[in-house]
């Protein structure tokens, strides 16, 4: 069974700083998808970014980018120029190719301080 | 696009009462998922549907929980009878393509 581990329960940075959230996963699959979701205090789960394992290029969405290291089974999220609105729980998730279930990590609580 | 719609947003009920949570998925999405989130257990997948048909209900905690999807635009999750340990945030998510899109959740409190 696949597992997803987020080793940082909490992180805190100053506004405008860059922060990296860690995620590792365990799988024997070669084709899969990885996701970062954000859950702000409003509790809505919002997709931040998606990475396909067969793509070598790291996904980027504005201030959000990933460092996908397939051999190391690592999928970290970098937030550049952090903003107060980035304060949230961040969940890393894994999905096998042609599967439907997402496997979530336990989350990292990120606080951006003014 | 209105996104996934859930109702009610908050529900407070007493132990033993029946609770019904509702979900309207994004139009055109063919998968629908029900999750439960608690501090202790994180996000748990309860059940999911494909084209209105339940595919995997292995996450449903017990017979008190049931879910239906009578058509492509509506699903319900019912708890009967409810217990205090059912208190949680319940999310509905729908998927078209690779990505699941979540609703705002229903915070259920069972007294």
């Amino acid at each position: 069974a696949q597992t997803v581990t987020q080793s940082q329960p909490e992180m805190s940075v100053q506004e405008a700083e860059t922060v990296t959230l860690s995620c590792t996963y365990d799988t024997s699959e070669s084709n899969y998808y990885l996701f970062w979701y954000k859950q702000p205090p409003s509790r809505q789960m919002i997709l931040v970014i998606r990475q396909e394992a067969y793509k070598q290029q790291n996904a980027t969405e504005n201030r959000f980018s990933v460092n996908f290291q397939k051999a190391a089974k690592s999928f970290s999220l970098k937030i550049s120029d952090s903003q107060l609105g980035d304060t949230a729980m961040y969940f890393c998730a894994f999905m096998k190719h042609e599967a439907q279930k997402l496997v979530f990590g336990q989350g990292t609580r990120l606080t951006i301080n003014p | 696009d209105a996104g996934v719609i859930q109702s009610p947003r908050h529900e407070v009920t007493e132990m033993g009462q029946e609770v019904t949570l509702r979900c309207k998925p994004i139009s055109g999405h063919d998968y629908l998922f029900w999750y439960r989130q608690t501090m202790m257990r994180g996000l748990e997948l309860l059940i999911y549907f494909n084209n209105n048909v339940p595919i995997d209900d292995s996450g449903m905690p017990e017979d008190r929980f049931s879910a239906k999807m009578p058509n492509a635009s509506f699903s319900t999750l019912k708890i009967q009878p409810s217990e205090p340990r059912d208190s949680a945030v319940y999310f509905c998510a729908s998927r078209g393509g690779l990505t699941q899109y979540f609703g705002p959740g229903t915070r259920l409190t069972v007294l």
Side-chain angles (χ1 to χ4, degrees), chain B residues 3-97:
Chain B
V4 176
I5 299 171
Q6 290 187 249
S7 65
R9 293 294 307 276
H10 304 271
E11 177 80 28
V12 180
T13 190
E14 293 191 346
M15 184 174 64
Q17 296 298 305
E18 178 180 295
V19 175
T20 299
L21 310 182
R22 296 173 176 81
C23 175
K24 177 179 169 55
I26 294 172
S27 178
H29 283 190
D30 54 356
Y31 284 92
L32 184 138
F33 304 81
W34 282 100
Y35 290 88
R36 178 171 68 177
Q37 185 179 37
T38 60
M39 289 291 293
M40 293 296 294
R41 300 173 69 92
L43 270 163
E44 302 174 274
L45 176 65
L46 300 176
I47 186 171
Y48 75 90
F49 296 81
N50 178 219
N51 293 322
N52 315 337
V53 176
I55 302 300
D56 185 348
D57 65 355
S58 59
M60 297 285 262
E62 46 198 278
D63 292 345
R64 298 184 298 106
F65 286 69
S66 63
K68 294 182 180 179
M69 192 165 184
N71 57 62
S73 59
F74 185 65
S75 178
T76 59
L77 178 67
K78 186 177 292 186
I79 308 172
Q80 166 64 18
S82 57
E83 295 183 4
R85 61 195 167 114
D86 301 331
S87 297
V89 179
Y90 290 81
F91 287 101
C92 175
S94 71
R95 194 185 103 185

Side-chain angles (χ1 to χ4, degrees), chain A residues 10-57:
Chain A
E10 294 189 30
M11 296 186 72
S12 178
V13 298
Q14 297 298 121
E15 193 175 8
E17 289 183 348
T18 294
V19 59
T20 299
L21 309 182
S22 301
C23 173
T24 57
Y25 55 94
D26 186 20
T27 185
S28 58
E29 303 288 327
S30 59
N31 201 3
Y32 49 85
Y33 308 93
L34 295 161
F35 306 81
W36 279 99
Y37 281 88
K38 164 185 176 180
Q39 187 177 35
S42 66
R43 80 168 178 252
Q44 172 100 40
M45 293 282 285
I46 302 165
L47 176 70
V48 175
I49 203 164
R50 184 184 81 204
Q51 175 80 43
E52 290 85 347
Y54 62 85
K55 291 187 177 178
Q56 292 187 331
Q57 186 172 7

